[in-house]
Amino acid sequence: MKADNRNILARGRVATRLPAQDLERARRFYAERLGLEPVDERPGGLLYRCGDTEFALFKSTGAAPGTFTQMGWQVDDVETIVAELKQRGVTFEEVDLPGFRTKDGIAEIDGNYRSKGGRGERAAWFRDSEGNLLGIGEPVV
């Protein structure tokens, strides 16, 4: 039987890379505000692990666009996470658009991926010290 090589990337692991104009400022933000410490580092880069995934911050002269969610966490209780992060000084985005509105930083989103189940998602967004737009989501069953 011949191997199917069309899905070669599906066997790999996805890892997010986020730009940081000031890597030390970003390190402080992720430690003090999010409670995350790098598990490894190299010149110009910090590696973080969350669950069985990882992301890296890398020194960049370019600015993060901040116009879309660049990385997100799926959590079991978005309300508790948002409240804790607010206590640590994280500012959440407030959105007021037709059909899409946040209340206390959290939006109710209709629909979800069938593979994730449920009827929707509760989500919140904030920017890190470098302008990267990050999200937190909780499936609604």
Side-chain angles (χ1 to χ4, degrees):
M1 177 178 253
K2 187 175 179 179
D4 182 356
N5 289 325
R6 291 177 293 174
N7 294 328
I8 58 174
L9 290 178
R11 294 187 296 264
R13 289 181 36 201
V14 174
T16 300
R17 304 291 186 248
L18 298 172
Q21 289 187 341
D22 185 329
L23 204 53
E24 287 309 308
R25 177 179 61 203
R27 179 198 298 264
R28 284 190 308 276
F29 176 88
Y30 280 79
E32 294 168 8
R33 302 288 193 266
L34 307 184
L36 298 173
E37 296 290 343
V39 296
D40 201 359
E41 58 186 278
R42 66 178 187 197
L46 302 171
L47 180 66
Y48 294 83
R49 287 211 177 93
C50 297
D52 62 353
T53 61
E54 63 185 29
F55 70 94
L57 296 173
F58 67 94
K59 177 107 175 98
S60 174
T61 57
T67 57
F68 57 88
T69 307
Q70 294 166 262
M71 181 175 75
W73 287 267
Q74 183 174 319
V75 299
D76 293 330
D77 185 350
V78 71
E79 212 165 280
T80 298
I81 300 291
V82 167
E84 174 67 28
L85 292 177
K86 281 181 177 181
Q87 286 182 347
R88 295 181 187 182
V90 174
T91 302
F92 283 84
E93 299 287 304
E94 291 293 342
V95 179
D96 189 1
L97 299 170
F100 190 82
R101 179 172 289 126
T102 55
K103 181 178 180 200
D104 297 325
I106 300 173
E108 303 281 338
I109 302 167
D110 289 331
N112 205 343
Y113 299 104
R114 283 191 301 257
S115 62
K116 291 184 175 250
R119 59 177 173 77
E121 183 177 25
R122 298 181 73 218
W125 297 266
F126 63 94
R127 295 178 194 284
D128 70 6
S129 61
E130 308 308 298
N132 296 301
L133 187 60
L134 308 175
I136 301 169
E138 171 192 358
V140 176
V141 291

